[in-house]
Amino acid sequence: MGNVSLPFYFNLTMFVNIGHYRFAAFTFCLLLYSFIVCANLLMILVISHYSALHQPMYLFIALLSVNSLYGSAGFFPRFLMDLLSDVHLISPLACFTQIYVIYTYGSNELTILSIMAYDRYVAVCHPLHYHRKMTSRAVVLLSVLAWIFPALNLTAVILMSSRLPLCGNEIQKVFCANWNVVKLSCVSTALNNVLGMLLTITTVFLPLFYVLYTYLWILIVCWKKSTKFKGKVLQSCLPHIVSFMIYSVAGFCDIALSRYNLEDINPFVAVILSLEFVVIPPVLNPLVYGLKLPDIRRHILALFFHKR
């Protein structure tokens, strides 16, 4: 195995499954990407423009939109180019860069949703201490940690993967994924698997259990309160719950697809499932928060109709 070296390109093989639909797929995805950019920029603009929305809950929503723009930029430009191309080759540097951007996007999404769950937990369960705990400094610190922690973890994982000697170059996806690259290794990947499992626990399962824990306490507190109080809590928490459920389902589909034998799945279904993780959350998050939270909805209308 001493003469095995990293191939000078990877081949994204799942584009073959799109076939004659690629021009229709390109048009649809271009419109989808345009909507993602416009909708998330609108959320950021509205929240930054109106001082009434300069509150932790809305600032975290803006952070979620920034992350959606970041993740989409790491996926859509390359994907749109590949849809119009007859060959789907990507250099190792571009491949690992895409892995880093998409994986940090996914990890950031979970950490931000966890911070938003903490914000709702303090607001509902400890309302008298809310302004003392959720200060401007605390919001900035939590936001920075939400980005730095996944970035450091994923840098270590991807550096290890990039040093593996590979015996192939075919990636069964429409974008680069770390596990698909690791499977091409000519040597044992036990250390990569252990590190990957630790990363999954710290960036996926811990935030998942924390969100469930906070909402269990919110449910317990609401159980003893009036119907009016429950309605207010539901109004502020429902968009977050919906976003969390959407992301969890999309993330589960991506993880399951990477571990499953794609030859046993309908090719078109496999392509759709592989796109959920990077497409659905950035599309639905601005819709969920923009339509469900009356303060944001009112300020969006004010922005368009030039009203205060």
Side-chain angles (χ1 to χ4, degrees):
M1 298 296 175
N3 59 350
V4 177
S5 61
L6 191 71
F8 69 95
Y9 64 85
F10 290 103
N11 185 17
L12 302 172
T13 60
M14 283 186 70
F15 280 99
V16 177
N17 300 332
I18 299 176
H20 299 295
Y21 299 103
R22 61 179 182 171
F23 294 108
F26 173 83
T27 304
F28 175 75
C29 290
L30 180 60
L31 292 173
L32 198 62
Y33 184 41
S34 300
F35 173 80
I36 289 172
V37 172
C38 293
N40 284 284
L41 281 177
L42 178 62
M43 293 291 290
I44 297 168
L45 176 64
V46 168
I47 292 171
S48 62
H49 183 70
Y50 293 100
S51 57
L53 299 178
H54 294 175
Q55 302 174 32
M57 180 176 71
Y58 301 115
L59 294 176
F60 292 140
I61 292 172
L63 192 63
L64 210 59
S65 289
V66 171
N67 190 51
S68 293
L69 292 174
Y70 167 71
S72 299
F75 168 72
F76 273 100
R78 173 75 202 195
F79 178 69
L80 290 170
M81 183 179 70
D82 279 330
L83 281 174
L84 296 181
S85 177
D86 292 325
V87 293
H88 309 102
L89 306 178
I90 182 170
S91 69
L93 178 60
C95 185
F96 284 111
T97 300
Q98 187 179 59
I99 291 172
Y100 180 80
V101 173
I102 291 177
Y103 277 50
T104 49
Y105 146 76
S107 300
N108 292 342
E109 192 89 358
L110 271 177
T111 52
I112 295 169
L113 288 171
S114 300
I115 292 171
M116 294 173 73
Y118 172 73
D119 174 71
R120 293 299 83 205
Y121 166 76
V122 176
V124 175
C125 300
H126 304 283
L128 298 179
H129 302 285
Y130 181 78
H131 294 291
R132 180 176 62 83
K133 291 185 175 182
M134 297 304 296
T135 61
S136 299
R137 182 180 178 181
V139 171
V140 171
L141 180 62
L142 289 172
S143 300
V144 170
L145 288 175
W147 285 78
I148 290 180
F149 181 68
L152 293 177
N153 282 345
L154 283 159
T155 297
V157 171
I158 292 172
L159 281 176
M160 286 190 62
S161 299
S162 66
R163 297 172 67 88
L164 289 172
L166 305 180
C167 289
N169 71 334
E170 293 191 348
I171 296 177
Q172 290 184 306
K173 270 202 164 187
V174 291
F175 60 90
C176 287
N178 188 63
W179 176 246
N180 296 78
V181 173
V182 171
K183 287 193 294 185
L184 299 174
S185 174
C186 303
V187 298
S188 172
T189 59
L191 187 58
N192 296 73
N193 294 338
V194 170
L195 189 59
M197 184 59 67
L198 290 175
L199 177 68
T200 303
I201 292 172
T202 55
T203 61
V204 178
F205 290 108
L206 288 181
L208 174 66
F209 288 132
Y210 180 74
V211 171
L212 295 176
Y213 169 80
T214 55
Y215 272 95
L216 176 61
W217 276 106
I218 290 173
L219 185 63
I220 291 172
V221 170
C222 288
W223 187 265
K224 304 174 184 178
K225 300 292 183 177
S226 65
T227 304
K228 184 178 179 181
F229 180 85
K230 293 176 183 176
K232 289 182 178 180
V233 171
L234 182 64
Q235 187 181 65
S236 66
C237 292
L238 184 61
H240 179 263
I241 296 172
V242 172
S243 291
F244 180 73
M245 293 299 296
I246 289 169
Y247 181 78
S248 298
V249 171
F252 173 79
C253 289
D254 183 71
I255 293 172
L257 189 66
S258 66
R259 305 281 172 166
Y260 201 76
N261 185 7
L262 295 181
E263 294 178 357
D264 299 332
I265 306 177
N266 180 284
F268 185 74
V269 173
V271 171
I272 296 298
L273 290 177
S274 69
L275 292 176
E276 278 189 310
F277 174 66
V278 289
V279 172
I280 292 181
V283 169
L284 292 185
N285 280 343
L287 291 177
V288 168
Y289 289 105
L291 296 177
K292 288 295 183 181
L293 292 177
D295 287 344
I296 294 181
R297 186 172 65 246
R298 184 171 64 252
H299 284 92
I300 289 175
L301 293 174
L303 187 68
F304 277 108
F305 293 102
H306 307 288
K307 294 180 180 178
R308 288 189 175 274

